[in-house]
Amino acid sequence: MTKKATIIPIILPTPFDVGPVNCVLLKGDAVTLVDSGAKTEESREILISSLKEHGLTFKDLDQYICTHYHPDHAGLSKEIQDFGVPTLMLQEAVPYVSVDREFTEWAESFYMNLYDSFGVPNSLGRIELVKLRKYRTFSNPFVPDILPAPGDAVPGHEGFVFLKTPGHAPDHLSLYSESEGILIGGDVLLPHISSNALLEPPPMGGTERPKTLLQYRETLQHLLALHLEMVYPGHGEPFTNAHDLIRKRLLDHNERAKALEHLLSDEPLTVFELCARLFPKLYEKQLGLVVSEVAGHLDLLESEGRVSIDKEEATFYYRRTGVVR
């Protein structure tokens, strides 16, 4: 007889501004851990003690699923895998979590060139590169054992399937049970803050930057069509008002885009100039997040024909083309 899954959230501290991260222990016909927290001693000890409270160690896990490559979710993946636990992620995660040298160099070059085109001073761009390298140290490199395809059944948990939910990260996956309306969603939808659609490099050899906010909006529209009763997010408390929250997030995107459109009413501006005007207290401290936010909403405006891009030498300038709505 199939055993109905028991869902047990495990809250772990992180050294990041986002605060604690939620992992999930899923107990059914299989014992599954979803996400593992950052690679810190404090996080490791709390994860081990939390499993112990349920009579488990890493060796007792039947499988480990990581929702995406960010270190606050993937940091202890290698340690869990070293206990012989099969590790599952989407194919898109491999170059990130394996820290493929060629891909890493490609990505760093992409970010520096992108910042240049956005008008970011070279000194600030290099600081962001240092921060990115530091960020990576909170996760050890590994290669997933199993690469499920979207729509595949989650082994040992009848009714659950893997969903590909990109936007916040290119490799983002969620676990979904249609019959129960349950989404174990990682960072795809958070109750208290909006998930950043972070800038990402194209695949190796590609030239066009992925439009991550547009990807994320497609993901949200897909989720809006699903039966959602309960969402277990990567940060914050589990919640039930998913459809209302999705509509709010989409509306918030439109409002932020409108604010940018207004800023462009008098003159064309670079992404960096828009960052400084829209986030005057944050743009230097959290440049990577702010640039992702501004560039994503400019992509939205461009997709609707409301801005155009002029290139002067190596720098892009955004110009308003339409009437502010």
Side-chain angles (χ1 to χ4, degrees):
M1 182 176 177
T2 300
K3 186 185 296 185
K4 183 177 178 180
T6 300
I7 299 172
I8 304 166
I10 297 175
I11 303 173
L12 301 178
T14 77
F16 310 121
D17 290 341
V18 72
V21 65
N22 300 328
C23 306
V24 170
L25 182 62
L26 200 57
K27 297 179 73 175
D29 290 331
V31 178
T32 302
L33 180 66
V34 181
D35 288 342
S36 60
K39 189 191 73 175
T40 68
E41 190 58 34
E42 182 184 17
S43 180
R44 178 181 180 275
E45 288 178 359
I46 293 175
L47 178 57
I48 289 172
S49 65
S50 297
L51 291 175
K52 188 176 181 180
E53 289 175 8
H54 298 280
L56 300 170
T57 67
F58 289 151
K59 291 181 179 179
D60 298 312
L61 298 174
D62 294 306
Q63 60 193 350
Y64 164 67
I65 299 169
C66 189
T67 60
H68 60 297
Y69 78 89
H70 295 165
D72 55 329
H73 294 263
L76 293 171
S77 300
K78 171 63 173 171
E79 182 167 347
I80 294 169
Q81 186 185 52
D82 284 347
F83 279 92
V85 181
T87 299
L88 291 78
M89 295 188 81
L90 289 182
Q91 171 71 48
E92 288 82 354
V94 174
Y96 291 90
V97 296
S98 65
V99 194
D100 177 82
R101 181 176 177 180
E102 188 177 6
F103 177 79
T104 300
E105 292 175 353
W106 159 263
E108 290 186 354
S109 175
F110 159 81
Y111 283 121
M112 293 305 295
N113 290 334
L114 187 65
Y115 283 156
D116 283 344
S117 71
F118 284 168
V120 175
N122 185 263
S123 58
L124 292 181
R126 292 199 173 279
I127 289 172
E128 286 304 303
L129 192 58
V130 170
K131 288 161 65 175
L132 178 62
R133 291 170 177 170
K134 174 68 174 176
Y135 183 62
R136 292 196 201 107
T137 66
F138 290 96
S139 182
N140 282 334
F142 68 100
V143 177
D145 301 294
I146 301 170
L147 304 173
D152 283 356
V154 179
H157 302 288
E158 186 172 343
F160 276 90
V161 297
F162 292 104
L163 295 183
K164 184 177 180 179
T165 48
H168 174 65
D171 63 322
H172 200 289
L173 68 79
S174 303
L175 282 61
Y176 173 61
S177 170
E178 181 179 16
S179 61
E180 296 183 72
I182 292 174
L183 182 74
I184 300 174
D187 284 353
V188 71
L189 190 62
L190 304 178
H192 58 305
I193 54 173
S194 179
S195 297
N196 292 95
L198 299 170
L199 291 172
E200 296 285 353
M204 283 285 296
T207 57
E208 186 172 348
R209 167 177 65 84
K211 304 295 178 65
T212 54
L213 182 66
L214 301 185
Q215 289 178 348
Y216 183 50
R217 286 171 65 83
E218 288 181 4
T219 291
L220 291 181
Q221 292 287 1
H222 177 61
L223 294 180
L224 199 54
L226 300 182
H227 171 221
L228 296 177
E229 296 288 341
M230 178 65 75
V231 176
Y232 292 87
H235 305 274
E237 296 292 327
F239 60 93
T240 58
N241 61 331
H243 287 160
D244 289 341
L245 185 59
I246 291 169
R247 293 187 187 97
K248 182 180 186 305
R249 294 288 182 253
L250 291 169
L251 180 61
D252 289 345
H253 294 160
N254 293 336
E255 292 301 312
R256 177 59 53 77
K258 188 182 295 184
L260 282 172
E261 194 173 13
H262 277 288
L263 288 173
L264 291 169
S265 61
D266 296 324
E267 59 179 328
L269 297 169
T270 66
V271 170
F272 183 70
E273 288 169 336
L274 286 164
C275 289
R277 297 187 189 196
L278 198 62
F279 299 100
K281 296 182 180 179
L282 287 177
Y283 77 98
E284 289 192 351
K285 181 181 178 184
Q286 297 186 7
L287 183 64
L289 294 178
V290 170
V291 168
S292 291
E293 180 87 358
V294 169
H297 287 83
L298 288 169
D299 289 340
L300 176 57
L301 288 170
E302 185 188 11
S303 74
E304 296 176 349
R306 293 158 64 184
V307 302
S308 62
I309 306 173
D310 298 331
K311 187 174 182 180
E312 296 183 13
E313 295 182 353
T315 304
F316 295 120
Y317 287 85
Y318 287 80
R319 181 187 303 276
R320 195 182 71 168
T321 58
V323 177
V324 177
R325 301 174 186 179

